[in-house]
Amino acid sequence: MPIKIQGDLPAKEILEKENIFVMDETRAVHQDIRPIQILILNLMPLKEETELQLLRSMSNTPLQVDVSFITMSSHESKNTKASHLNKFYEHFEDIKHHYYDGMIITGAPIEQMEFEEVDYWEELTEILDWTEKHVTSTLYLCWGAQASLYHFYGLKKKMLPEKMFGLFWHKVENRKIPLVRGFDDIFLAPHSRHTEIPMEDIRACDAITILAESEEAGFYMGMADEGRKIFVMGHPEYDRVTLDGEYQRDKSKGLDIQVPKNYYKNDDPTVKPYLTWRSHANNLYTNWLNYYVYQATPYDLMGAPDFTRK
């Protein structure tokens, strides 16, 4: 899939070295097709790393995807250079009158805080409400999923006795739903979080269709509003060494961190970790773009999308 991004985004060079077709704005204007417009609200601290992971994850369909990034006006990022944000990111105020085929709201390492204590919570809830009329399908990841489930359905998160950290086995439910088409019966996926929404609370919410869960990690994936809202409690976008980097970081800080489960061979953090979740992660993003964005979105985004899909 050709991914359309700004020509000097640092992730472009890395993607091209991986033989991923990346198209800059100059070439894109010569193609007589309407690209799928995807907006990414990047709440992760290492934004350039997350950009690369998400762009890589969306690189496996023949669709042309035009990706834009926004960041929060009410929060100052401490781990990404201001020059990068100023060049490649916009603010919600800049794009709030636009319409998008799809949107991704990432996780954030703040799950131990109450939602209302987050400095950008008010701005985030405005964005969540805005997606209802301006985005065909929104994919919520990890903390983004917890925040949206709380905002839309009042589902509260709870602290875990220890960090859910590593790769966990999940079972597919509701196999006829297109989002899990092509998934194996069981699959591994990364988690890195201190909180969860109890499985019984998810089951009690009639609005949510559960698509995958884990005996150990609990709720993993579900959807609402016929796929206009998709919730993924883990980090399918993580690359091979992301969990390793988090483990080494926390260990160097003297934090009580366990070796990520099912990640290193023989739980030995000195060896290169196996990459065992990429195929299902790619399948997830491909299915989302195909069935819930491309096939559901109107051709003309100048007006409000027809969310009745009639």
Side-chain angles (χ1 to χ4, degrees), residues 3 37 48 62 67-68 70-71 80 162 167 173 213 223 233 237 240 294 301:
I3 302 174
Q37 301 288 333
E48 292 184 57
V67 179
S68 302
I70 59 171
T71 187
T80 301
E162 65 178 30
L167 302 173
E173 308 288 351
E213 60 181 291
M223 58 183 274
M233 198 62 72
E237 78 282 1
R240 181 193 301 271
Y294 174 69
L301 277 179

Side-chain angles (χ1 to χ4, degrees), residues 6 13 38 41 102 137 151 167 192 216 260 271-272 276 295:
Q6 288 180 246
E13 182 178 355
I38 300 295
L41 173 56
S137 179
H151 177 68
L167 302 173
S192 178
E216 193 171 2
V271 301
K272 183 179 180 179
T276 56
Q295 293 191 28

Side-chain angles (χ1 to χ4, degrees), residues 1-5 15 20-21 36-40 50-69 102-104 139 236-237 278 281-290 293:
M1 171 188 72
I3 302 174
K4 179 176 173 286
I5 54 177
L15 292 169
I20 292 174
F21 184 12
I36 299 298
Q37 301 288 333
I38 300 295
L39 181 67
I40 298 177
T50 302
E51 293 162 13
L52 177 60
Q53 292 170 357
L54 291 173
L55 292 171
R56 185 190 287 127
S57 296
M58 292 189 290
S59 67
N60 292 281
T61 81
L63 305 172
Q64 184 186 128
V65 177
D66 187 351
V67 179
S68 302
F69 295 94
M103 183 174 183
I104 297 174
L139 178 62
E237 78 282 1
R278 175 66 58 78
N282 287 344
N283 210 6
L284 167 62
Y285 284 97
T286 297
N287 287 346
W288 173 62
L289 286 171
N290 183 22
V293 179

Side-chain angles (χ1 to χ4, degrees), residues 17-240:
K17 289 180 179 178
E18 297 177 5
N19 293 319
I20 292 174
F21 184 12
V22 180
M23 181 181 297
D24 61 25
E25 295 164 325
T26 302
R27 181 170 179 180
V29 296
H30 292 90
Q31 292 199 341
D32 189 21
I33 59 176
R34 182 179 83 76
I36 299 298
Q37 301 288 333
I38 300 295
L39 181 67
I40 298 177
L41 173 56
N42 189 354
L43 302 174
M44 294 292 279
L46 302 177
K47 299 193 185 305
E48 292 184 57
E49 179 179 295
T50 302
E51 293 162 13
L52 177 60
Q53 292 170 357
L54 291 173
L55 292 171
R56 185 190 287 127
S57 296
M58 292 189 290
S59 67
N60 292 281
T61 81
L63 305 172
Q64 184 186 128
V65 177
D66 187 351
V67 179
S68 302
F69 295 94
I70 59 171
T71 187
M72 307 302 285
S73 300
S74 48
H75 176 77
E76 181 179 352
S77 179
K78 299 178 181 178
N79 297 283
T80 301
K81 293 181 179 179
S83 58
H84 182 85
L85 294 173
N86 292 336
K87 188 170 187 179
F88 300 111
Y89 282 71
E90 295 180 283
H91 292 284
F92 178 58
E93 287 297 321
D94 303 320
I95 58 88
K96 64 189 299 183
H97 300 298
H98 298 170
Y99 294 88
Y100 293 87
D101 301 298
M103 183 174 183
I104 297 174
I105 297 181
T106 72
I110 52 174
E111 72 268 21
Q112 296 183 77
M113 300 174 62
E114 294 296 331
F115 291 118
E116 291 83 1
E117 294 176 356
V118 176
D119 58 5
Y120 54 77
W121 179 248
E122 183 175 346
E123 183 181 5
L124 179 61
T125 58
E126 183 182 0
I127 293 172
L128 293 176
D129 291 335
W130 170 86
T131 65
E132 299 265 65
K133 294 183 178 179
H134 289 80
V135 182
T136 302
S137 179
T138 304
L139 178 62
Y140 302 96
L141 301 175
C142 201
W143 184 84
Q146 295 186 28
S148 60
L149 289 167
Y150 175 69
H151 177 68
F152 290 123
Y153 308 108
L155 297 177
K156 297 181 179 180
K157 59 185 172 68
K158 74 170 188 177
M159 288 293 299
L160 293 166
E162 65 178 30
K163 186 176 183 179
M164 191 71 67
F165 189 45
L167 302 173
F168 298 89
W169 287 103
H170 303 79
K171 179 183 178 182
V172 172
E173 308 288 351
N174 290 289
R175 178 165 291 283
K176 293 182 179 180
I177 300 295
L179 190 64
V180 293
R181 187 166 293 171
F183 276 52
D184 293 328
D185 289 339
I186 59 172
F187 63 95
L188 285 167
H191 289 262
S192 178
R193 52 186 168 83
H194 293 274
T195 57
E196 69 171 0
I197 296 178
M199 199 69 226
E200 58 269 23
D201 294 348
I202 298 287
R203 289 196 179 98
C205 183
D206 293 337
I208 300 170
T209 300
I210 299 171
L211 301 177
E213 60 181 291
S214 167
E215 290 185 2
E216 193 171 2
F219 176 68
Y220 178 66
M221 183 164 53
M223 58 183 274
D225 293 348
E226 298 182 323
R228 291 204 51 228
K229 300 184 182 74
I230 293 174
F231 315 100
V232 179
M233 198 62 72
H235 284 283
E237 78 282 1
Y238 271 11
D239 60 31
R240 181 193 301 271

